[in-house]
C-alpha cells in the first residue's frame, strides 16, 4: 500500500483535552550546484561548504536573538531577487496558488508512467527494478500530498491554503486508486517469489518489498470483490468515527453547581466569575474544574468535581464502542485475530499479549499468559510499584495532618490526589525561587547554538544559517538552517518557525517535509526531452529542491524538515527567553529532526522517521536526557545579558522537582496502555461488549487508587483513535532511552558530548532510519546480542529497565 508519512504526536494525560495530530510529511528545498538564474531570479547555490563554522555559530545565535540582525541578514537575499518569488521550499512550481495544481498535474503524469512500467514488466531486468520503481512512485505521491498537507495547515494565505488542499485531494484520491490496483501487488509478488530477482535486491530493497506486500495485504487487495467492498466500507466508517470521537470530547453533564461557600480554598476571583445568586456553576471539564480539584478544601465537593469531570457523555461512549467494533471487524476480515494483532504486526512488540483463541471477556484475557506488550507493561508496573506506594504514602501523611480537613476519609482517594500533590509541590518549591530565573540563561538563540554544538560534538554535523529569497518560506519569521556534515557537506535543510503569532497552533511539532532518497541517473535522463523549464536536468528531476551528491557521485534528495513552535516574544529589548520545559520541548523535537537528518537511506520508504511506531520516539525522548546533562548545558547556557554561565544546581533543582511524583504519572500511563490493549483485542466483537465495564476492570486491576464506579473517563481517551493498540509506545521508548543514556552516554565522564558515544548511536540507530529492525539497532547500540531477535523475553527485559532513571 502506498501511503504518506504520518506521525501521531504524544500528549500526556494532563493534556488530553488539547488533542493534536502532528505529522511528519515529505517535501523538498533547494538545488545543488553553481549560482543559477531562473526567470530573472538569482538562486544561491547549495554546496558542500558555507561560511566558516565559527561564523555560523555566532550568526546562529544572532538570527534568533536579534530581530535587527535577522532583518539585515535576510534583507540581502530578499533584495537580490527584486521581490520575485522563488517558490515555497524553492519548489519552482509553488510561486503562486495556481502552481499547486500544476505541480500535482505534472507529478500525476510521472506517476502514471511508473505505474504503466510496473504493470508491463516482463523481463528479469524489469522485475528487478520494481521495488525501486514503487518506492519512487511512493515518493512522488508524498512530495505533493505531504507538502500540501503541511502548507494547508501552516500557510497564512487562504488562497494558498485552498490550492494546497485541492492538490492534496487530487493526489490522495489517485493514491487510493493505486492501493486497489491489483496488478501492482501481483507484479511485486511475482518479483519477490523469483530468487533470480529477489537475491539481487539490496537489504533495503528486500525490506521495502516486504513492507509494500504487507501494506497491500492490509488494504484488502487480496480479498474477493465482496469482502474488499466490506473492507472499504469498514475503513470509511473508521475514518469518520475516529475524528468524530476525538473532536467532540464532552462530559455527560456540562456543568456542576455548588453553593459558592462550598468552594473554600479555590481562587475567589475565579469563584466570583462563576457565581450567580449564591450558586457557583463550574464547567465539568477545563481549567476551572482542574483548579477546583487542586484547591477546594471540602473533600466531598472535590469528589463531585472529580466524578463530573471524568464522566463522558453517552454519545461519546456510543461512538467509541462503534469505532472499536469496526476496527475488530476490519481486523478479522483481514485475517487477523484482533486489531491489536493487525496493528502490532510490524512493530517491535509484534504481538499484543494473548493467545490465538477468541477472547470475549476481560477476565478470559487477563487469565491468559501475557506476552509482548502486556509482558512489558507488567514488568514496568512491578518496577514502579514501590515508588508509587511511597508517593501515595507521602500524600496520605499530608491528608492526615491537614488542618482544613475536619473529618478526613480513611486512606487516599482518587479525588484527593491532585489536591495534595498541589500542596506537596507548593511546599517543596525553593524559597529562593531560583527556578523562576532559569529562563534568563536560555535565550532561543543560545539554545539553538547549543543544539548545533551538541550535534557537532556527537555526530560531526552543525547548523549553518542561510538567508532565504522571497517566497521560500511561509512567513518572514521563518529561519532556514542548512545542516552541514564534516565529511559529507550539505545533508539536510531545517525551516524553523519558532515564534508565536496570531492564529498559529500552540502545539510544538516536527514535520519531515521530505525524506532522503537516491535519485537515479535514469530519472535525470528522462528530463532530456521534456519541456521542464528548469535551469538543469537535476533540478527538473527534483522539482528544483535541495539535493547533493555524495562521495560516490550519487545524487540524493536532502531531508527537509519544518520545526514549528509557539514561543512568546516578550519585551522588544530582549531576546525570546525559554522556560526549562520549553528547552526540553525543543530538544525533544530536535531528536525527531536528527533522526530524519541522519537516517539518509537509498529508498524513501525507510528513510528517517519511517520506522516502527514503537521505535520512533527513541531519539526524541533520548534528547530530553541531554537537556539536563551538565556537560551539555556548559556548551551554551549563559545569561542573555551578563553572559554568566548557568549554575547547574538551578537545573538540578528543577529536574528533581518535576520528577517528584513521576511514579504516579507512569502508573496512569500504564493503566491507559493496558486499556488500549484490552479495547483492541477481540472483546469488542462480543454482543455484550461494554466499554465502561472493561474500563473499570482494567483500572481496578492495575491502579493503586480506586476509581468511582459511576465514572466513564475512557470517553475522553482521544488517543485511542490515533494510537490504536500502540499507546504503550511512549513508555516503551522512555525505557529504551533511559537504558541507552546510561549504557552509551554515561559510561565515561563527559559522555554526553563524547564523539565515540555519538558514533555508536549514529551508526547503530540513527543512520538506519527504518531500514533495520529496531531490536537489531538496540542490540548493536547496547552491545547485547540477546536483544537482537526481540520477543516476549526482550519485551520483559525492557520493562525491567524502568522509565524513571
Amino acid at each position: 500500500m502506498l501511503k504518506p508519512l504520518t506521525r501521531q504526536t504524544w500528549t500526556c494525560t494532563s493534556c488530553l483535552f488539547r488533542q493534536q495530530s502532528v505529522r511528519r510529511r515529505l517535501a523538498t528545498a533547494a538545488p545543488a550546484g553553481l549560482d543559477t538564474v531562473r526567470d530573472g531570479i538569482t538562486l544561491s547555490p547549495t554546496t558542500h561548504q558555507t561560511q566558516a563554522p565559527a561564523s555560523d555559530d555566532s550568526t546562529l545565535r544572532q538570527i534568533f536573538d536579534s530581530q535587527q540582525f535577522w532583518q539585515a541578514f535576510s534583507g540581502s537575499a530578499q533584495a537580490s531577487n527584486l521581490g520575485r518569488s522563488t517558490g515555497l521550499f524553492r519548489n519552482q512550481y509553488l510561486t503562486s496558488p495556481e502552481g499547486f495544481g500544476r505541480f500535482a498535474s505534472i507529478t500525476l503524469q510521472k506517476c502514471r508512467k511508473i505505474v504503466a512500467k510496473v504493470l508491463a514488466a516482463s523481463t528479469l531486468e524489469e522485475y528487478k527494478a520494481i521495488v525501486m520503481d514503487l518506492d519512487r512512485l511512493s515518493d512522488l505521491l508524498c512530495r505533493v500530498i505531504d507538502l500540501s498537507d503541511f502548507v494547508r495547515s501552516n500557510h497564512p494565505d487562504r488562497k494558498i491554503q485552498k490550492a494546497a488542499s485541492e492538490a492534496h485531494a487530487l493526489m490522495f484520491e489517485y493514491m487510493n486508486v493505486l492501493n486497489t490496483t491489483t496488478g501492482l501487488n501481483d507484479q511485486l509478488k511475482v518479483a519477490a517469489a523469483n530468487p533470480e530477482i529477489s537475491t539481487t535486491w539490496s537489504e533495503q530493497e528486500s525490506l521495502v518489498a516486504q513492507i509494500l506486500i504487507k501494506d497491500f495485504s492490509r488494504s484488502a487487495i487480496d480479498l474477493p470483490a465482496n469482502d474488499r467492498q466490506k473492507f472499504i466500507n469498514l475503513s470509511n466508517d473508521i475514518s469518520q468515527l475516529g475524528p468524530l470521537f476525538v473532536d467532540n470530547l464532552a462530559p455527560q453533564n456540562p456543568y456542576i453547581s455548588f453553593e459558592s461557600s462550598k468552594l473554600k480554598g479555590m481562587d475567589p476571583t475565579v469563584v466570583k466569575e462563576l457565581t450567580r445568586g449564591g450558586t457557583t456553576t463550574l464547567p465539568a471539564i477545563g481549567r476551572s474544574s482542574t483548579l477546583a480539584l487542586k484547591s477546594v478544601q471540602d473533600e466531598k465537593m472535590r469528589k463531585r468535581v472529580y466524578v463530573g469531570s471524568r464522566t463522558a457523555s453517552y454519545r461519546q461512549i456510543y461512538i467509541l464502542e462503534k469505532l472499536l467494533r469496526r476496527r475488530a471487524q476490519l481486523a478479522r476480515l483481514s485475517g487477523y485475530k484482533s486489531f491489536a494483532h493487525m496493528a502490532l504486526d510490524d512493530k517491535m512488540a509484534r504481538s499484543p499479549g494473548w493467545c490465538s483463541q477468541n477472547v470475549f471477556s476481560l477476565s478470559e484475557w487477563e487469565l491468559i499468559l501475557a506476552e509482548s506488550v502486556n509482558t512489558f507493561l507488567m514488568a514496568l508496573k512491578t518496577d514502579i510499584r514501590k515508588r508509587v506506594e511511597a508517593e501515595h504514602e507521602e500524600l496520605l501523611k499530608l491528608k492526615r495532618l491537614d488542618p482544613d480537613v475536619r473529618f478526613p476519609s480513611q486512606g487516599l482517594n482518587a479525588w484527593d490526589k491532585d489536591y495534595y500533590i498541589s500542596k506537596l509541590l507548593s511546599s517543596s518549591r525553593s524559597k529562593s525561587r531560583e527556578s523562576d530565573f532559569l529562563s534568563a540563561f536560555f535565550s532561543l538563540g543560545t539554545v539553538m547554538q547549543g543544539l548545533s554544538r551538541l550535534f557537532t560534538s556527537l555526530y560531526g554535523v552543525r547548523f549553518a544559517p542561510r538567508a532565504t529569497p522571497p517566497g521560500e518560506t511561509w512567513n518572514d519569521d521563518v529561519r532556514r538552517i542548512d545542516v552541514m556534515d564534516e565529511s559529507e557537506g550539505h545533508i539536510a535543510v531545517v525551516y524553523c518557525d519558532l515564534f508565536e503569532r496570531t492564529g498559529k497552533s500552540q502545539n510544538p511539532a516536527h514535520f519531515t517535509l521530505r525524506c532522503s532518497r537516491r535519485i537515479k541517473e535514469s530519472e535525470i535522463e528522462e528530463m532530456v526531452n521534456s519541456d521542464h523549464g528548469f535551469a538543469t536536468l537535476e533540478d527538473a528531476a527534483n522539482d528544483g529542491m535541495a539535493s547533493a551528491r555524495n562521495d560516490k557521485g550519487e545524487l540524493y534528495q536532502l531531508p527537509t524538515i519544518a520545526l514549528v513552535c509557539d514561543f512568546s516574544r516578550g519585551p522588544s529589548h530582549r531576546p525570546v527567553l525559554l522556560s526549562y520545559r520549553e528547552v526540553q520541548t525543543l530538544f525533544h523535537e530536535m531528536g525527531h529532526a536528527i533522526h530524519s537528518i541522519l537516517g539518509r537511506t537509498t529508498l524513501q520508504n525507510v528513510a528517517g522517521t519511517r520506522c516502527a511506531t514503537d521505535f520512533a520516539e527513541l531519539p526524541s525522548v533520548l534528547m530530553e536526557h541531554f537537556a539536563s546533562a551538565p556537560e551539555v548545558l556548559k556548551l551554551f547556557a549563559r545569561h542573555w545579558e551578563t553572559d554568566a554561565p548557568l549554575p547547574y544546581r538551578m537545573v538540578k533543582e528543577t529536574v528533581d522537582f518535576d520528577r517528584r511524583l513521576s511514579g504516579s504519572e507512569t502508573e496512569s500511563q500504564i493503566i491507559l496502555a493496558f486499556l488500549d490493549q484490552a479495547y483492541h483485542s477481540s472483546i469488542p466483537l462480543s454482543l455484550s461488549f461494554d466499554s465502561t465495564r472493561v474500563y473499570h476492570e482494567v483500572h481496578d486491576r492495575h491502579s493503586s487508587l480506586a476509581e468511582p464506579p459511576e465514572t466513564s473517563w475512557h470517553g475522553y481517551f482521544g488517543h485511542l483513535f490515533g494510537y490504536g493498540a500502540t499507546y504503550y509506545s511512549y513508555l516503551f521508548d522512555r525505557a529504551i532511552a533511559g537504558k541507552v543514556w546510561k549504557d552509551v552516554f554515561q559510561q565515561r565522564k563527559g559522555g554526553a558530548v563524547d564523539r565515540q558515544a555519538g558514533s555508536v548511536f549514529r551508526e547503530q540507530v540513527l543512520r538506519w532510519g527504518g531500514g533495520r529492525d529496531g531490536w537489531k539497532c538496540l542490540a548493536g547500540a547496547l552491545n547485547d546480542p540477546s536483544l537482537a531477535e526481540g520477543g516476549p523475553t526482550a519485551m520483559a527485559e525492557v520493562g525491567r529497565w524502568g522509565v524513571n532513571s
Side-chain angles (χ1 to χ4, degrees):
M1 183 172 66
L2 303 168
K3 57 190 178 185
L5 173 59
T6 59
R7 174 175 67 94
Q8 194 71 21
T9 190
W10 178 263
T11 308
C12 70
T13 48
S14 63
C15 300
L16 284 176
F17 292 111
R18 292 193 306 154
Q19 293 297 319
Q20 55 183 343
S21 178
V22 179
R23 302 179 179 181
R24 295 198 187 109
R25 336 247 201 264
L26 309 175
T28 44
L34 301 174
D35 284 357
T36 57
V37 177
R38 301 178 188 159
D39 299 328
I41 300 176
T42 302
L43 300 181
S44 54
T46 299
T47 68
H48 285 255
Q49 299 295 328
T50 62
Q51 57 188 324
S55 178
D56 283 339
D57 185 69
S58 174
T59 301
L60 182 62
R61 176 176 178 174
Q62 293 183 81
I63 64 169
F64 287 101
D65 280 357
S66 169
Q67 185 64 20
Q68 183 177 1
F69 183 92
W70 165 246
Q71 290 173 349
F73 179 81
S74 59
S76 59
Q78 297 285 321
S80 66
N81 287 321
L82 305 176
R84 298 184 63 182
S85 175
T86 190
L88 273 170
F89 312 111
R90 298 212 176 190
N91 183 316
Q92 188 174 330
Y93 297 115
L94 306 184
T95 59
S96 67
E98 295 74 23
F100 281 88
R102 184 163 178 253
F103 181 37
S105 177
I106 290 174
T107 302
L108 270 176
Q109 293 176 30
K110 294 178 181 179
C111 288
R112 288 180 176 127
K113 288 180 179 179
I114 295 173
V115 170
K117 178 187 176 185
V118 170
L119 294 177
S122 59
T123 68
L124 283 177
E125 292 306 312
E126 288 170 340
Y127 275 117
K128 287 177 183 179
I130 274 183
V131 175
M132 295 284 282
D133 288 336
L134 289 178
D135 185 76
R136 184 188 176 197
L137 178 62
S138 178
D139 180 63
L140 288 170
L141 291 168
C142 290
R143 286 188 187 187
V144 179
I145 291 175
D146 295 327
L147 183 148
S148 298
D149 197 16
F150 173 80
V151 170
R152 67 179 181 171
S153 301
N154 291 276
H155 203 289
D157 189 316
R158 290 188 178 275
K159 290 182 179 179
I160 290 179
Q161 291 176 11
K162 182 175 182 293
S165 294
E166 291 171 351
H168 180 278
L170 178 66
M171 296 300 292
F172 203 87
E173 181 181 359
Y174 180 68
M175 183 183 69
N176 287 333
V177 170
L178 293 180
N179 287 332
T180 58
T181 303
T182 57
L184 295 176
N185 180 50
D186 295 340
Q187 289 286 72
L188 179 58
K189 284 184 173 179
V190 167
N194 188 337
E196 287 189 76
I197 297 167
S198 59
T199 55
T200 67
W201 289 341
S202 66
E203 182 180 354
Q204 279 188 34
E205 286 176 288
S206 297
L207 179 60
V208 169
Q210 294 172 23
I211 291 171
L212 292 175
I213 289 172
K214 187 173 290 186
D215 284 347
F216 271 123
S217 176
R218 284 179 177 170
S219 67
I221 204 164
D222 293 322
L223 295 178
N226 288 342
D227 286 346
R228 197 182 311 148
Q229 187 57 51
K230 289 179 184 177
F231 182 95
I232 293 172
N233 293 340
L234 287 169
S235 298
N236 288 338
D237 284 350
I238 291 168
S239 68
Q240 294 172 18
L241 289 167
L244 192 63
F245 175 66
V246 171
D247 295 339
N248 294 281
L249 304 178
Q252 177 58 25
N253 298 305
Y255 298 97
I256 311 167
S257 296
F258 306 86
E259 293 179 20
S260 57
S261 60
K262 298 289 186 181
L263 297 180
K264 185 179 179 181
M266 191 171 174
D267 186 339
T269 304
V270 176
V271 175
K272 185 177 180 180
E273 291 175 353
L274 301 171
T275 302
R276 297 290 184 275
T279 299
T280 301
T281 303
L282 191 75
I285 59 176
R287 175 179 173 272
S288 298
S289 61
T290 300
L291 181 61
L293 287 171
K294 291 180 177 180
S295 59
V296 171
Q297 296 172 2
D298 191 319
E299 183 179 339
K300 292 181 179 178
M301 295 303 103
R302 289 202 307 273
K303 181 177 180 180
R304 283 190 61 194
V305 176
Y306 183 87
V307 171
S309 65
R310 293 176 68 86
T311 304
S313 69
Y314 297 140
R315 181 173 181 272
Q316 274 294 98
I317 303 303
Y318 170 78
I319 294 170
L320 173 61
E321 291 182 352
K322 191 173 182 180
L323 170 65
L324 295 174
R325 285 195 181 96
R326 293 292 184 269
R327 278 181 163 173
Q329 291 166 352
L330 183 78
R332 190 59 62 87
L333 182 64
S334 302
Y336 291 90
K337 298 175 181 67
S338 71
F339 185 81
H341 282 90
M342 184 176 180
L344 299 178
D345 190 36
D346 59 350
K347 308 300 186 294
M348 288 180 72
R350 295 184 184 135
S351 70
W354 48 82
C355 68
S356 60
Q357 67 195 60
N358 289 333
V359 181
F360 291 123
S361 72
L362 186 66
S363 58
E364 290 179 79
W365 171 68
E366 288 279 358
L367 288 172
I368 296 168
L369 179 63
E371 55 185 54
S372 296
V373 174
N374 293 308
T375 300
F376 162 70
L377 293 173
M378 288 300 295
L380 195 58
K381 178 183 172 183
T382 300
D383 177 74
I384 68 162
R385 181 180 294 130
K386 290 184 179 179
R387 187 185 185 106
V388 174
E389 289 173 354
E391 290 174 5
H392 286 180
E393 182 60 30
E394 192 171 12
L395 297 179
L396 185 56
K397 286 180 181 178
L398 283 178
K399 181 176 181 178
R400 289 168 178 161
L401 297 172
D402 191 347
D404 297 322
V405 181
R406 298 175 62 185
F407 304 104
S409 60
Q410 296 297 316
L412 187 72
N413 298 306
W415 50 89
D416 295 328
K417 187 176 173 181
D418 287 348
Y419 180 71
Y420 289 104
I421 284 176
S422 180
K423 280 185 171 294
L424 178 66
L425 296 183
S426 178
S427 66
S428 63
R429 287 185 184 276
S430 169
K431 293 181 180 180
S432 67
R433 299 182 61 81
E434 286 184 327
S435 60
D436 293 347
F437 301 101
L438 264 180
S439 61
F441 295 86
F442 294 129
S443 75
L444 178 56
T446 59
V447 177
M448 291 297 293
Q449 191 179 52
L451 284 162
S452 180
R453 291 173 177 177
L454 173 62
F455 292 152
T456 299
S457 297
L458 293 176
Y459 310 125
V461 301
R462 62 182 173 84
F463 294 161
R466 182 162 178 188
T468 55
E472 182 174 349
T473 64
W474 54 99
N475 188 278
D476 290 342
D477 273 342
V478 177
R479 275 67 161 159
R480 171 174 167 164
I481 305 295
D482 283 356
V483 184
M484 309 300 295
D485 184 276
E486 289 175 352
S487 57
E488 299 179 52
H490 189 201
I491 60 170
V493 175
V494 182
Y495 290 98
C496 298
D497 185 3
L498 305 181
F499 301 102
E500 68 175 351
R501 60 177 176 270
T502 303
K504 186 180 180 182
S505 171
Q506 296 180 355
N507 296 319
H510 156 273
F511 304 84
T512 300
L513 296 169
R514 187 182 186 201
C515 290
S516 168
R517 187 182 74 90
R518 181 166 69 87
I519 300 173
K520 296 188 298 183
E521 293 303 313
S522 59
E523 297 174 39
I524 300 172
E525 292 167 4
E526 288 175 10
M527 300 296 109
V528 172
N529 296 320
S530 65
D531 184 19
H532 54 74
F534 287 85
T536 69
L537 295 176
E538 289 185 358
D539 287 346
N542 198 35
D543 307 320
M545 296 180 167
S547 64
R549 292 189 179 273
N550 61 16
D551 54 6
K552 297 178 182 178
E554 298 168 329
L555 183 66
Y556 273 74
Q557 56 190 44
L558 300 186
T560 300
I561 296 147
L563 198 63
V564 181
C565 293
D566 193 51
F567 299 138
S568 300
R569 287 187 181 275
S572 59
H573 70 277
R574 65 164 173 78
V576 170
L577 302 180
L578 305 184
S579 68
Y580 182 67
R581 193 170 291 267
E582 288 174 325
V583 172
Q584 291 176 307
T585 295
L586 191 52
F587 268 65
H588 179 99
E589 298 303 331
M590 272 297 180
H592 289 305
I594 201 66
H595 199 184
S596 296
I597 291 165
L598 298 181
R600 299 174 63 218
T601 54
T602 301
L603 302 179
Q604 71 94 26
N605 264 288
V606 291
T609 55
R610 297 191 77 128
C611 58
T613 304
D614 51 4
F615 198 61
E617 292 290 332
L618 169 59
S620 57
V621 176
L622 181 64
M623 278 297 291
E624 295 179 28
H625 289 271
F626 286 97
S628 62
E631 59 265 49
V632 174
L633 292 169
K634 284 180 181 178
L635 293 175
F636 69 95
R638 307 186 74 83
H639 196 283
W640 73 274
E641 225 171 1
T642 67
D643 205 41
L646 169 70
Y648 182 69
R649 58 184 172 79
M650 295 171 63
V651 173
K652 187 177 186 305
E653 179 186 83
T654 300
V655 171
D656 291 344
F657 180 81
D658 288 345
R659 292 177 178 173
R660 184 76 184 268
L661 294 162
S662 60
S664 297
E665 171 61 23
T666 300
E667 182 185 67
S668 297
Q669 297 297 327
I670 291 172
I671 293 167
L672 295 180
F674 271 122
L675 183 64
D676 176 42
Q677 291 298 302
Y679 279 162
H680 290 100
S681 68
S682 54
I683 294 174
L685 293 174
S686 170
L687 294 176
S688 62
F689 171 58
D690 181 344
S691 65
T692 302
R693 178 176 62 82
V694 172
Y695 166 67
H696 282 284
E697 289 187 11
V698 169
H699 199 283
D700 291 347
R701 288 171 189 263
H702 300 293
S703 177
S704 302
L705 299 178
E707 179 79 348
E710 59 267 45
T711 62
S712 53
W713 184 88
H714 56 294
Y716 298 129
F717 192 6
H719 279 56
L720 285 170
F721 177 54
Y723 272 91
T726 62
Y727 192 80
Y728 72 91
S729 297
Y730 185 68
L731 288 170
F732 185 65
D733 283 342
R734 276 180 63 191
I736 294 174
K739 182 68 170 176
V740 170
W741 175 251
K742 178 183 176 182
D743 288 8
V744 177
F745 293 100
Q746 294 294 288
Q747 286 302 298
R748 60 171 63 87
K749 186 177 181 180
V753 292
D754 180 65
R755 176 64 64 88
Q756 184 177 342
S759 295
V760 169
F761 192 64
R762 177 175 183 171
E763 292 303 310
Q764 297 297 332
V765 178
L766 294 176
R767 81 176 183 89
W768 293 94
R772 187 190 197 191
D773 182 83
W775 287 112
K776 288 183 171 58
C777 290
L778 186 59
L782 298 177
N783 193 26
D784 185 354
S786 69
L787 296 170
E789 299 305 317
T793 302
M795 291 290 289
E797 178 64 18
V798 174
R800 285 189 287 270
W801 294 343
V803 297
N804 293 307
S805 59

